[in-house]
């Protein structure tokens, strides 16, 4: 892998490990929030009892844990670059008594598996952050068995994801942040319709489809929303760390005002939108 990509990967590993306690703390809220996208991935993959499934960029374990309960005679191998996130996933598997679930630290661009190993691959909200997305798609296709299924979810456009833009919009309004380089890893890198589908086709996959799936972030209160975002959202945390206390307070106030305008009854329930893309080998 190129040195620049290696550097990005190492920065990401450090970042996700740093934020893994926050993801553990807010796991219930976040997993409910992302469940519709995981459910659609599972629906498309149609896991069978004997399937061997790879869950890429697993984070705290879903949808791999749910898939493991469906492939009762099979296995789920769950990979992520961050050991801290995998430790949470392993803990969740133990709590639920799921024994056919294995965690392994690995990079999707250099998968440590033989060709034609897996019946299906799931990847919920990982593609946007892969240093080389085409290489990642190629590697996933390589380790899929002929006829194997691959499904992924990525975030849709900012206009349909106010849960991100409420915080980031306030940050951008109050701070002179340099724009990321074109194509750099980020939340909305894959929001353009057809971009992941084309990567799938370039990787040799067929019967490629793409659909929009909605969700809701139910944080209860605006303060809960802010606390969660400042403990799990890497771009928010990174930006706030560069601001002085006064600017941080102003950003928080403006973000909470936006949230309260959107949810005037005080019950913070924010719509979200993702794209789920599917292909077969």
């Amino acid at each position: 892998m190129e040195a620049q990509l290696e550097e990005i990967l190492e920065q990401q590993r450090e970042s996700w490990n740093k934020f893994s306690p926050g993801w553990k703390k807010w796991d219930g809220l976040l997993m409910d929030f992302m469940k519709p996208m995981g459910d659609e991935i599972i629906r498309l993959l149609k896991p069978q009892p004997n399937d061997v499934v790879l869950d890429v960029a697993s984070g705290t374990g879903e949808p791999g844990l749910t898939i493991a309960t469906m492939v009762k005679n099979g296995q789920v191998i769950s990979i992520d670059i961050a050991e801290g996130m995998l430790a949470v996933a392993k803990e969740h598997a133990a709590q639920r008594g799921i024994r056919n679930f294995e965690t392994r630290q690995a990079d999707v661009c250099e998968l440590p598996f033989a060709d034609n190993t897996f019946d299906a691959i799931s990847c919920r909200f990982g593609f946007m952050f892969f240093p080389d997305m085409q290489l990642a798609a190629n590697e996933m296709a390589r380790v899929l068995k002929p006829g194997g299924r691959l499904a992924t979810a990525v975030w849709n456009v900012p206009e349909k994801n106010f849960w991100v833009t409420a915080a980031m919009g306030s940050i951008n309004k109050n701070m002179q942040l340099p724009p990321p380089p074109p194509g750099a890893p980020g939340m909305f890198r894959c929001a353009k319709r057809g971009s992941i589908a084309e990567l799938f086709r370039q990787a040799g996959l067929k019967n490629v489809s793409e659909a929009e799936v909605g969700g809701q972030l139910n944080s209860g209160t605006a303060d809960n929303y802010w606390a969660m975002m400042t403990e799990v959202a890497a771009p928010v945390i990174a930006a706030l760390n560069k601001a002085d206390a006064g600017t941080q307070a102003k950003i928080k106030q403006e973000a909470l005002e936006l949230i309260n305008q959107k949810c005037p009854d005080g019950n913070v329930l924010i719509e979200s939108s993702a794209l789920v893309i599917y292909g077969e080998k």
Side-chain angles (χ1 to χ4, degrees):
M1 192 185 295
E2 294 176 27
Q4 184 183 9
L5 299 185
E6 284 280 11
E7 186 180 340
I8 292 170
L9 190 68
E10 192 51 46
Q11 288 170 352
Q12 290 177 337
R13 181 181 292 121
E14 187 179 320
S15 177
W16 287 112
N17 276 326
K18 181 180 178 182
F19 301 138
S20 59
W23 278 82
K24 181 177 180 179
K25 174 182 174 180
W26 295 98
D27 191 73
L29 186 155
L30 291 165
M31 292 307 105
D32 284 346
F33 173 42
M34 294 187 280
K35 188 174 185 296
M37 298 77 177
D39 287 348
E40 179 64 7
I41 285 172
I42 292 169
R43 187 189 74 79
L44 289 165
L45 292 181
K46 300 180 177 66
Q48 301 301 305
N50 295 311
D51 279 354
V52 178
V53 179
L54 179 65
D55 186 36
V56 176
S58 168
T60 59
E62 288 293 352
L65 288 163
T66 297
I67 293 171
T69 66
M70 303 170 76
V71 295
K72 296 188 182 298
N73 303 317
Q75 184 186 24
V76 171
I77 297 178
S78 186
I79 69 164
D80 200 284
I81 58 170
E83 311 94 308
M85 300 294 269
L86 290 174
V88 180
K90 199 170 184 179
E91 191 177 315
H92 288 158
Q95 288 168 352
R96 293 167 61 177
I98 299 172
R99 294 194 172 90
N100 60 338
F101 179 87
E102 175 189 331
T103 61
R104 193 181 301 190
Q105 184 191 17
D107 170 19
V108 67
C109 292
E110 296 177 338
L111 289 173
F113 307 109
D115 297 358
N116 310 321
T117 297
F118 297 99
D119 298 286
I121 298 176
S122 57
C123 178
R124 188 173 68 174
F125 301 124
F127 256 96
M128 310 92 65
F129 302 114
F130 298 153
D132 187 325
M133 295 190 295
Q134 185 64 69
L135 182 54
N138 294 349
E139 275 289 273
M140 290 189 209
R142 178 184 67 79
V143 301
L144 267 182
K145 294 177 182 176
R149 295 95 61 203
L150 167 59
T152 190
V154 297
W155 291 114
N156 204 347
V157 292
E159 295 77 21
K160 294 189 174 186
N161 284 290
F162 181 70
W163 67 278
V164 180
T165 57
M168 287 307 299
S170 301
I171 286 168
N172 290 327
K173 180 180 169 186
N174 286 280
M175 298 178 69
Q176 297 298 317
L177 295 175
M187 290 287 294
F188 302 115
R189 182 189 185 196
C190 303
K192 184 181 177 183
R193 289 271 183 162
S195 61
I196 295 294
E198 182 57 28
L199 293 180
F200 278 20
R201 293 189 186 97
Q202 289 292 327
L205 300 180
K206 56 193 178 186
N207 298 327
V208 176
S209 65
E210 181 177 297
E212 183 175 357
V213 177
Q216 288 185 319
L217 176 65
N218 184 4
S219 66
T221 67
D223 282 334
N224 250 5
Y225 163 83
W226 187 254
M228 185 269 293
M229 290 296 284
T230 54
E231 290 182 31
V232 305
V236 173
I237 298 163
L240 290 175
N241 283 342
K242 296 173 183 173
D244 59 41
T247 305
Q248 287 182 10
K250 188 166 183 283
I251 289 168
K252 178 181 179 180
Q253 180 186 349
E254 291 179 4
L256 294 187
E257 284 173 0
L258 286 170
I259 293 292
N260 288 323
Q261 286 169 18
K262 194 86 166 176
C263 309
D265 63 354
N267 181 31
V268 177
L269 195 65
I270 309 172
E271 301 292 321
S272 68
S273 175
L275 303 173
V276 176
I277 304 93
Y278 171 80
E280 298 168 357
K281 185 169 177 179

